[in-house]
């Protein structure tokens, strides 16, 4: 057996030595153009190999040498860079808290060119979560073809279907959320003829009626209470319009929206008059990590379409008592974006309670088609907010979520082609320093992303792989049997 | 092998009959069914890249689907589709005869003819893909090639392997293979139990492939579409009319579109939609819009989940011609969504064109890079990726027609779109004709007059108005009780005026069925 392994290794080495390696390389005093742009990014130990393509024109072959600041070396060659996964993981693990230096050489027209070396910083903070969940959908405006919610292991390139609408034809699945990345508490919404809200709680899967007459709408934009005993939702009367010329393509806005909390154990929807006012739109509810506060976005109602550019959301809060399931008596504004002539949406508190990350745009509640949309960080200790300059781009940056250790965040950005959103991951250190984000790695990123017609949205980390039977779920969706819920009013 | 082949080919009469039938099929496809081929060609985006080819392994029948889709892209070329499909039917005929001969079936010729005839009928359905035909041929051929006769235990072992292999390669061809094996077992009657078990086991195991392929059992076993049967020949011909007129329009054969529709006695909405669009591009919409009634402009409806697919598929052509890139992009994306694989090569091309016109280079390059991997649009995409000035010229020229009024549109109400286009470019004659004709077909005379005065007065200053507009003004002026001195400004042809006076005396008479007045009084508005 040993002899067999030795022979195989020798054969592999012989093959490798046959591959052309850089020699007599001309030096190019510039950083290499690569896709995705991984130059200077910060990555976690355990991330899937950061494969990339040379983006500086046609070439016959590329070769990269990778040296770790704490030791270790690896190289890769081919028409694109496709690292050996186990070698990559060994190298990144050894260099956690250090850096990897990449030296890329490119063979074109019989001449090798060696570019300036670049680094990837390997953070000392590994992502504690197994992977990501996200929705992939062709941007189909009002109708949808094949789309679904997927989960992706972060240390490999493996993607798994969580639920696809091929299981429930003609339906749209969206707004999936786990409780602090724990998929034991899990919810998502199904839109369509057999619409429903799925809630997994304490090992029990339930399908609630998608629309509730008392609410006047369906249960969307969920966020779990840290105890897993409550889930906040908003109910939105959403409309879509089209920009006649190309600054943004689509405008999605609410013509009414309220916030409420659902208690799965008792199947009760808890309403508060403070979260369902007639002259304000309340949306995007999220609980603070201690569960004592419910944050949400609120804007004064304006006539549509004339006043659409004047709808600007602030971030507000109200107390919440999980013991009694009651709300506080006053709403405070904690971030007044309107005073800045802006609109703040998608608040997401870090699980360590230090920050709220949100998206800032010129107006409206749906910044995903706003080119100026950027992610901001509100420091809850100082009350100061600032844009995440290191992570933002001139194109849309939005829909973010924190890793369970609050050291990493994932968000969507249209920076790649201005049209389709892709996932990016960046880190925040203990001092709030944000690093350059990296695009979600793929085995052959240029091919993968150029052939993908889907946009990513609503990404979130998941502590482990979500166990979900999509076939059975499809049958439940199409079956139409729904659990009734009771609506009560908070004191 | 040689003797087997010669025995298959040896029956000259059978060959003649088969050849004649295939020639008849070819003639039928070329003469009456060309539109379907073009439609199928655009129902996919076949990329010659390893990663795209690898996607074929995520479903059964990778070989027949890969071969079928590869060949389907050539359907774009006139006559290529019929030739390829007839060649595939010939394969079915040969494989069927070989399989049945192997089976030792009686009435060999009749059974073979039945299979070929049935498959030929199935190809008339627009959802029957070339890969389905190849799957059938594959299942039949695999049965013919199985080395087993006379050795039941070997046969049992071979069929245990052959059925899953056939499913992997040819999808529902495995079901055909299983049926033939069952027939063989029943006819041979040796070690029946062993062979039946060896047949049942792999068929039962196919059910387990569901998890691998993420498909429901029924669709998976029938993949890539075993049986799409045309239930109504009239419907099939109607669909073909729609495919054909769309194809001719997309090829830029406006004269053919017009001739085809003029020569037809029973028009579909889609035919009239393209007819009006073709005539509008020639500057003759007012003359044409009432030629085939009830007409269909496409501007009185809205795109949404309830809109017929055919209309959605054509709407991007309307918006493209008018110059509204926002709605053209939306219609193209929705057309893609309504395509089998969510990818429609010509709609992707349109998306690239829209972004070239609007100057959204990043988005345009994304689509162009993809199209660069296709056979049909590869060269075109490469030229644009190189920013070849000759290739870019039409898109630069189109920029002058796009909308420059930044508003938020809650709907695709055509009146708003056309008005904005004319505000941006008063010289947009196509938009002007559509605006005025839309007003008239909606019987909104007040709006017609307002739109004419706002946008049309300058366009026709010093020139005679089209007859349709003069007829409309007759009605409008008469309703408004306008003084006689005002009439000649709008109704400059005295013959029209005289005929209108005659119509007023015999209001609603069929002698005037070619006039707008008759339409206004008697016809329903079509949306």
């Amino acid at each position: 057996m040993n002899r067999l392994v030795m022979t195989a290794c020798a054969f592999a080495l012989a093959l490798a030595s046959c591959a052309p390696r850089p020699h007599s390389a001309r030096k190019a005093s510039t950083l290499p153009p690569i896709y995705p742009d991984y130059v200077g990014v910060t990555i976690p130990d355990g991330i899937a190999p950061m494969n990339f393509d040379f983006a500086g024109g046609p070439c016959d072959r590329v070769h990269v040498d990778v040296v770790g600041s704490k030791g270790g070396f690896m190289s890769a060659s081919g028409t694109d860079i496709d690292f050996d996964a186990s070698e990559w993981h060994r190298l990144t693990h050894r260099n956690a808290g250090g850096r990897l230096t990449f030296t890329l050489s490119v063979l074109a027209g019989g001449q090798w060119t060696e570019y300036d070396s670049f680094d990837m910083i390997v953070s000392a903070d590994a992502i504690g979560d197994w992977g990501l969940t996200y929705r992939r959908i062709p941007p189909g405006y009002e109708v949808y073809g094949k789309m679904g919610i997927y989960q992706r292991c972060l240390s490999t390139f493996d993607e798994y279907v969580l639920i696809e609408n091929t299981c429930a034809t003609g339906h749209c699945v969206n707004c999936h959320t786990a409780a602090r990345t724990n998929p034991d508490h899990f919810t998502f919404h199904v839109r369509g003829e057999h619409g429903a809200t799925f809630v997994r709680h304490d090992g029990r899967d339930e399908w609630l009626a998608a629309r509730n007459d008392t609410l006047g709408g369906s249960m969307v934009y969920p966020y779990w209470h840290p105890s897993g005993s409550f889930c906040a939702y908003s109910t939105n009367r959403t409309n879509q319009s089209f920009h006649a010329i190309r600054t943004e393509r689509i405008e999605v806005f609410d013509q009414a929206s309220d916030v409420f909390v659902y208690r799965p154990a008792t199947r009760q929807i808890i309403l508060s008059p403070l979260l369902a006012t007639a002259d304000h739109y309340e949306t995007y509810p999220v609980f603070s990590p201690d569960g004592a506060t419910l944050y949400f976005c609120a804007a004064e109602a304006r006539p549509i379409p004339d006043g659409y550019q004047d709808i600007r959301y602030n971030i507000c809060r109200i107390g919440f008592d999980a013991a009694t399931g009651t709300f506080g008596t006053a709403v405070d504004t904690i971030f007044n974006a309107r005073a800045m002539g802006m609109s703040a949406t998608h608040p997401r508190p870090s699980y360590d309670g230090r920050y709220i990350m949100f998206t800032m745009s010129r107006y409206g509640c749906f910044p995903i088609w706003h080119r100026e949309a950027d992610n901001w960080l509100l420091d809850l200790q100082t009350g100061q907010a600032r844009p995440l300059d290191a992570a933002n781009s001139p194109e849309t940056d939005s829909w973010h979520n924190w890793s369970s250790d609050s050291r990493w965040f994932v968000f969507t950005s249209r920076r790649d082609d201005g049209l389709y959103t892709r996932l990016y991951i960046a880190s925040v250190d203990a001092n709030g320093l944000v690093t350059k984000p990296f695009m979600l790695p793929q085995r052959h990123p240029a091919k993968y992303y150029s052939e993908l017609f889907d946009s990513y949205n609503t990404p979130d980390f998941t502590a482990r792989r979500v166990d979900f039977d999509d076939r059975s779920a499809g049958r439940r969706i199409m079956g139409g049997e729904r659990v009734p819920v009771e609506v009560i009013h908070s004191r | 092998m040689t003797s087997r082949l010669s025995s298959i080919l040896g029956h000259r009469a059978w060959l003649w009959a088969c050849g004649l039938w295939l020639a008849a099929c070819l003639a039928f496809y070329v003469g009456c069914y060309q539109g379907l081929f073009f439609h199928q060609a655009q129902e996919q985006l076949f990329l010659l890249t390893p990663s795209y080819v690898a996607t074929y392994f995520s479903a059964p029948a990778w070989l027949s689907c890969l071969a079928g889709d590869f060949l389907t892209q050539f359907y774009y070329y006139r006559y290529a589709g019929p030739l390829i499909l007839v060649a595939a039917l010939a394969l079915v005929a040969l494989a069927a005869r070989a399989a049945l001969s192997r089976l030792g079936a009686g009435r060999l010729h009749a059974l073979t003819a039945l299979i070929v005839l049935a498959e030929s009928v199935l190809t008339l359905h627009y959802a029957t893909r070339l890969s389905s035909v190849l799957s059938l041929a594959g299942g039949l051929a695999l049965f013919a090639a199985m080395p087993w006769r006379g050795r039941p235990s070997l046969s049992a072992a071979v069929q245990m392997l052959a059925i899953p292999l056939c499913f992997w390669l040819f999808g529902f061809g495995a079901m055909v293979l299983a049926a033939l094996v069952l027939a063989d077992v029943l006819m041979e009657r040796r070690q029946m139990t062993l062979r039946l078990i060896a047949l049942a086991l792999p068929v039962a195991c196919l059910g387990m492939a569901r998890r691998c392929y993420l498909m429901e059992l029924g669709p998976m076993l029938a993949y890539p579409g075993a049986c799409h049967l045309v239930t109504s020949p009239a419907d099939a011909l109607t669909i073909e009319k729609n495919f054909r007129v769309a194809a001719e329009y997309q090829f830029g054969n406006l004269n053919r579109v017009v001739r085809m529709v003029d020569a037809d006695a029973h028009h579909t909405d889609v035919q009239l939609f393209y007819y009006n669009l073709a005539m509008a591009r020639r500057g003759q919409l007012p003359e044409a819009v009432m030629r085939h009634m009830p007409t269909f402009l496409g501007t009185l409806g809205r795109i949404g989940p309830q809109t017929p697919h055919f209309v959605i598929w054509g709407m991007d052509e309307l918006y493209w011609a008018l110059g509204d890139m926002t709605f053209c992009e939306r219609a193209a994306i929705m057309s893609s969504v309504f395509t089998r694989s969510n990818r429609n090569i010509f709609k992707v091309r349109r998306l690239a064109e829209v972004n070239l016109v609007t100057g959204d280079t990043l988005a345009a390059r994304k689509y162009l890079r993809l199209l660069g991997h296709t056979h049909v649009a590869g060269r075109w995409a490469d030229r644009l990726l190189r920013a070849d000035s000759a290739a870019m010229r039409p898109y630069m020229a189109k920029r002058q027609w796009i909308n420059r009024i930044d508003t938020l549109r809650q709907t695709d109400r055509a009146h708003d779109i056309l008005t904005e286009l004319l505000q941006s470019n008063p010289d947009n004659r196509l938009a002007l004709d559509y605006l005025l004709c839309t007003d008239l077909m909606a019987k909104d005379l007040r709006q017609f007059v307002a739109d004419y005065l706002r946008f049309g007065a300058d366009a026709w200053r010093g020139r005679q108005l089209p007859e349709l507009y003069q007829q409309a003004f007759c009605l409008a002026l008469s309703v408004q009780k306008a003084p006689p001195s005002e009439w000649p400004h709008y109704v400059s042809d005295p013959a029209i005026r005289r005929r209108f006076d005659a119509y007023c005396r015999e209001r609603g008479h069929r002698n005037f069925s070619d006039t707008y007045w008759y339409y206004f009084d008697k016809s329903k508005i079509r949306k």
Side-chain angles (χ1 to χ4, degrees):
Chain A
M1 185 66 186
N2 278 348
R3 187 173 295 171
L4 193 67
V5 172
M6 292 289 282
T7 311
C9 288
F11 184 67
L13 275 173
L15 270 183
S17 62
C18 291
R21 296 179 67 83
H23 55 84
S24 315
R26 185 169 55 85
K27 292 272 182 190
S29 303
T30 174
L31 288 169
I34 59 169
Y35 180 88
D37 176 14
Y38 286 156
V39 176
V41 298
T42 299
I43 58 171
D45 170 20
I47 191 73
M50 301 284 283
N51 294 346
F52 57 86
D53 295 75
F54 179 67
C59 66
D60 303 315
R61 196 166 181 83
V62 287
H63 175 92
V64 70
D65 290 321
V66 189
V67 180
S69 62
K70 294 184 173 180
F73 168 86
M74 72 181 295
S75 63
S77 298
T79 50
D80 58 2
I81 297 300
D82 181 6
F83 293 110
D84 175 80
S86 45
E87 226 183 318
W88 168 266
H89 285 305
R90 275 198 300 276
L91 188 67
T92 49
H93 185 65
R94 184 171 176 183
N95 286 281
R99 63 184 58 225
L100 301 177
T101 301
F102 295 69
T103 307
L104 184 73
S105 301
V106 177
L107 177 65
Q111 171 68 52
W112 282 97
T113 304
E114 184 184 300
Y115 287 86
D116 281 353
S117 299
F118 66 91
D119 290 342
M120 286 188 205
I121 295 99
V122 186
S123 170
D125 300 312
I127 297 181
D129 299 304
W130 171 83
L132 298 173
T133 60
Y134 46 79
R135 184 169 73 147
R136 272 204 288 109
I137 180 171
Y141 299 77
E142 304 95 323
V143 292
Y144 17 83
K146 184 183 169 189
M147 50 84 68
I149 303 173
Y150 302 84
Q151 47 187 333
R152 155 78 194 262
C153 177
L154 276 172
S155 57
T156 69
F157 301 111
D158 296 336
E159 184 185 65
Y160 307 91
V161 173
L162 216 154
I163 182 165
E164 256 180 6
N165 69 344
T166 46
C167 300
T169 310
H171 288 74
C172 169
V173 286
N174 52 49
C175 297
H176 58 100
T177 307
R180 294 184 70 126
T181 79
N182 176 3
D184 289 343
H185 298 96
F186 187 65
T187 181
F188 67 86
H189 181 64
V190 181
R191 199 166 61 211
E193 191 185 348
H194 299 282
T197 299
F198 171 81
V199 178
R200 172 172 290 178
H201 172 256
D202 282 344
R204 192 173 69 188
D205 288 358
E206 290 187 331
W207 297 87
L208 314 181
R211 289 187 64 81
N212 188 299
D213 291 339
T214 312
L215 297 176
S218 49
M219 300 162 73
V220 293
Y221 302 134
Y223 195 93
W224 286 91
H225 191 268
S227 66
S229 303
F230 300 91
C231 190
Y233 292 88
S234 60
T235 181
N236 307 57
R237 188 149 62 85
T238 302
N239 281 286
Q240 179 170 267
S241 287
F242 298 87
H243 287 272
I245 61 171
R246 193 64 58 73
T247 43
E248 297 89 26
R249 280 177 166 82
I250 301 172
E251 194 61 50
V252 179
F253 51 85
D254 288 340
Q255 287 187 302
S257 64
D258 297 321
V259 161
F260 61 92
V261 165
Y262 176 65
R263 192 200 316 241
T266 56
R267 294 172 182 148
Q268 286 175 319
I269 285 173
I270 307 165
L271 302 179
S272 163
L274 293 173
L275 301 175
T277 59
D279 53 350
H280 281 76
Y281 306 140
E282 296 90 359
T283 189
Y284 296 125
V286 289
F287 283 106
S288 61
D290 62 5
T293 305
L294 182 74
Y295 298 108
F296 60 97
C297 297
E300 286 175 36
R302 289 283 188 272
I304 297 288
D306 298 340
Y308 79 97
Q309 290 198 1
D310 199 33
I311 298 175
R312 297 195 172 97
Y313 287 78
N314 292 332
I315 301 177
C316 303
R317 74 177 169 204
I318 186 170
F320 183 74
D321 183 353
T324 57
T326 52
F327 294 99
T329 53
V331 169
D332 300 321
T333 299
I334 62 160
F335 181 72
N336 193 334
R338 183 171 183 81
M340 300 165 68
M342 302 293 278
S343 182
T345 50
H346 300 168
R348 281 288 184 274
S350 61
Y351 299 120
D352 60 7
R354 174 80 192 271
Y355 303 107
I356 289 181
M357 193 179 290
F358 60 93
T359 303
M360 192 85 121
S361 57
R362 281 194 294 126
Y363 58 86
C365 65
F366 208 78
I368 200 157
W369 283 103
H370 283 230
R371 281 191 158 152
E372 83 286 357
D374 279 333
N375 286 326
W376 282 49
L377 204 59
L378 171 64
D379 189 330
L380 289 170
Q381 287 179 358
T382 64
Q384 298 297 310
R386 59 187 164 89
L388 301 178
D389 290 334
N392 289 330
S393 73
E395 292 288 343
T396 312
D397 302 291
S398 63
W399 278 124
H400 42 270
N401 256 313
W402 294 89
S403 65
S404 55
D405 61 3
S406 304
R407 284 286 174 263
W408 298 89
F409 62 95
V410 59
F411 65 100
T412 66
S413 177
R414 264 185 232 283
R415 68 188 66 182
D416 191 35
D417 55 23
L419 195 54
Y420 293 88
T421 48
R422 306 287 182 234
L423 294 186
Y424 291 79
I425 298 172
S427 71
V428 190
D429 71 9
N431 301 316
L433 191 69
V434 175
T435 58
K436 180 179 173 179
F438 62 90
M439 196 187 223
L440 182 67
Q442 304 291 349
R443 184 176 297 284
H444 301 289
K447 283 181 187 139
Y448 180 85
Y449 286 118
S450 70
E451 290 179 17
L452 187 69
F453 270 11
D454 293 347
S455 272
Y456 289 82
N457 60 32
T458 60
D460 196 0
F461 290 91
T462 182
R464 59 180 185 280
R465 188 174 164 179
V466 185
D467 180 20
F468 192 75
D469 183 348
D470 56 330
R471 296 312 162 99
S472 155
R475 283 191 289 273
R476 292 295 300 271
I477 291 169
M478 300 310 277
E481 192 181 321
R482 301 290 179 260
V483 173
V485 293
E486 181 193 3
V487 176
I488 61 168
H489 294 269
S490 170
R491 279 181 284 112
Chain B
M1 183 69 192
T2 316
S3 63
R4 192 188 308 167
L5 195 63
S6 55
S7 79
I8 294 166
L9 302 175
H11 297 268
R12 198 167 290 175
W14 178 80
L15 269 180
W16 271 106
C18 192
L20 278 175
W21 173 250
L22 293 176
C25 286
L26 183 64
F28 176 75
Y29 292 146
V30 169
C32 310
Y33 236 60
Q34 281 269 19
L36 174 133
F37 294 99
F38 186 73
H39 172 77
Q40 290 192 338
Q42 54 175 321
E43 278 252 293
Q44 60 177 29
L45 181 68
F46 189 89
L47 305 177
L48 273 174
T49 64
S51 50
Y52 179 75
V53 169
T55 61
Y56 280 86
F57 293 95
S58 64
W62 71 266
L63 184 58
S64 52
C65 287
L66 182 60
D69 289 357
F70 174 77
L71 291 170
T72 300
Q73 63 181 329
F74 299 105
Y75 282 14
Y76 172 77
Y77 303 107
R78 205 176 281 271
Y79 309 124
L83 282 170
I84 291 170
L85 186 56
V86 165
L89 287 174
L91 263 182
V92 170
L94 285 174
R97 195 170 190 287
L100 294 171
S101 159
R102 182 90 184 171
L103 195 61
R107 299 179 191 278
L108 179 62
H109 303 316
L111 280 173
T112 306
L114 196 65
I115 290 172
V116 177
L117 182 68
E119 192 60 15
S120 308
V121 170
L122 292 180
T123 61
L124 298 181
H125 196 286
Y126 64 89
T128 301
R129 297 160 59 192
L130 180 62
S131 46
S132 302
V133 184
L134 297 179
S135 290
L136 175 64
L140 292 165
L142 209 59
F143 178 80
M146 282 167 74
W148 60 12
R149 198 75 185 176
R151 297 172 64 184
S153 50
L154 175 65
S155 301
V158 168
Q159 71 197 41
M160 286 273 285
L161 294 173
I163 289 172
L165 176 71
C166 188
F167 183 66
W168 189 53
L169 297 174
F170 303 117
F172 80 87
M175 298 299 109
V176 176
L177 175 64
L180 290 168
V181 168
L182 180 64
D184 186 64
V185 172
L186 296 176
M187 286 167 76
E188 200 176 4
R189 292 181 172 278
R190 288 171 58 194
Q191 295 200 18
M192 269 184 73
T193 313
L194 173 69
R195 290 198 61 196
L196 283 175
I197 290 170
L199 175 64
L201 265 179
V203 171
C205 287
L206 292 184
M208 286 158 53
R210 267 197 307 167
R211 292 306 302 183
C212 307
Y213 290 135
L214 281 170
M215 296 171 87
E216 290 297 339
L217 187 63
M220 186 187 74
L221 295 180
Y223 198 81
C227 191
H228 296 289
L229 188 62
V230 168
T231 49
S232 157
D235 287 352
L237 287 175
T238 301
I239 290 170
E240 169 58 22
K241 275 184 193 178
N242 294 340
F243 285 151
R244 188 147 197 171
V245 74
E248 295 297 355
Y249 183 86
Q250 282 172 310
F251 279 124
N253 300 326
L254 302 187
N255 291 339
R256 272 197 194 165
V257 169
V258 172
R259 278 203 306 272
M260 190 188 306
V261 178
D262 280 339
D264 203 329
H266 305 286
H267 302 106
T268 67
D269 282 352
V270 176
Q271 277 185 310
L272 294 173
F273 170 81
Y274 283 108
Y275 179 79
N276 287 326
L277 191 50
M279 293 301 271
R281 284 179 59 187
R282 291 168 158 191
Q284 298 172 340
L285 183 62
E287 288 77 18
V289 71
M290 288 186 53
R291 197 168 290 165
H292 304 292
M293 295 300 280
T295 195
F296 185 77
L297 277 170
T299 46
L300 292 175
R302 306 263 169 86
I303 289 188
Q306 308 305 322
T307 313
H309 293 187
F310 278 116
V311 175
I312 290 181
W313 279 327
M315 287 306 272
D316 71 296
E317 294 291 356
L318 174 63
Y319 290 124
W320 175 255
L322 289 169
D324 192 297
M325 294 301 121
T326 301
F327 277 85
C328 183
E329 182 176 57
R330 168 180 175 249
I333 285 183
M334 287 177 61
S335 302
S336 262
V337 167
F338 279 120
T339 300
R340 176 173 55 81
S341 57
N342 292 167
R343 291 173 177 221
N344 179 315
I345 181 168
F346 294 105
K347 299 308 172 190
V348 173
R349 179 176 166 145
R350 177 52 46 82
L351 289 171
E353 291 177 319
V354 164
N355 286 288
L356 285 170
V357 171
T358 56
D360 202 336
T361 315
L362 273 174
R365 290 183 74 82
K366 151 128 191 151
Y367 296 121
L368 290 172
R369 278 196 300 269
L370 267 178
L371 291 164
H373 295 296
T374 64
H375 174 80
V376 169
R379 199 173 297 171
W380 170 83
D382 286 342
R383 286 180 66 196
L384 287 163
L385 278 170
R386 290 197 310 271
D388 180 299
S389 56
M392 285 293 290
R393 201 167 295 132
Y395 306 110
M396 296 294 111
K398 196 145 188 93
R399 267 186 199 171
Q400 65 173 307
W401 301 111
I402 64 173
N403 193 351
R404 298 182 195 288
I405 312 290
D406 191 8
T407 55
L408 199 62
R409 295 172 183 158
Q410 282 189 274
T411 69
D412 50 355
R413 186 171 173 256
H415 190 271
D416 298 342
I417 295 168
L418 295 166
T419 305
E420 283 173 10
L421 285 168
L422 284 162
Q423 279 177 275
S424 302
N425 302 286
D427 295 336
N428 191 336
R429 174 68 190 276
L430 199 95
L432 179 58
D433 278 337
Y434 263 98
L435 179 68
L436 297 178
C437 288
T438 302
D439 291 340
L440 293 181
M441 292 305 109
K443 301 187 184 181
D444 193 342
L445 280 178
R446 188 191 298 262
Q447 191 66 58
F448 167 76
V449 172
D451 287 334
Y452 173 80
L453 293 175
R454 188 176 177 195
F455 299 113
D458 285 341
W460 278 285
R461 192 176 300 281
R463 290 189 298 131
Q464 192 176 58
L465 279 175
E467 187 174 346
L468 174 70
Y469 299 164
Q470 290 193 56
Q471 289 180 358
F473 268 116
C474 286
L475 269 181
L477 293 168
S478 126
V479 169
Q480 288 172 3
K481 298 190 170 40
S485 58
E486 204 173 322
W487 281 64
H489 293 300
Y490 307 102
V491 188
S492 53
D493 185 345
I496 295 174
R497 178 76 190 269
R498 282 197 298 274
R499 204 169 172 217
F500 179 66
D501 291 340
Y503 179 78
C504 291
R505 288 191 295 274
E506 298 179 88
R507 198 149 185 157
H509 196 281
R510 284 203 63 80
N511 285 348
F512 299 90
S513 60
D514 61 329
T515 65
Y516 181 69
W517 316 312
Y518 184 86
Y519 169 80
F520 190 86
D521 285 340
K522 290 288 183 182
S523 302
K524 282 185 181 169
I525 299 170
R526 293 202 63 196
K527 292 198 173 177

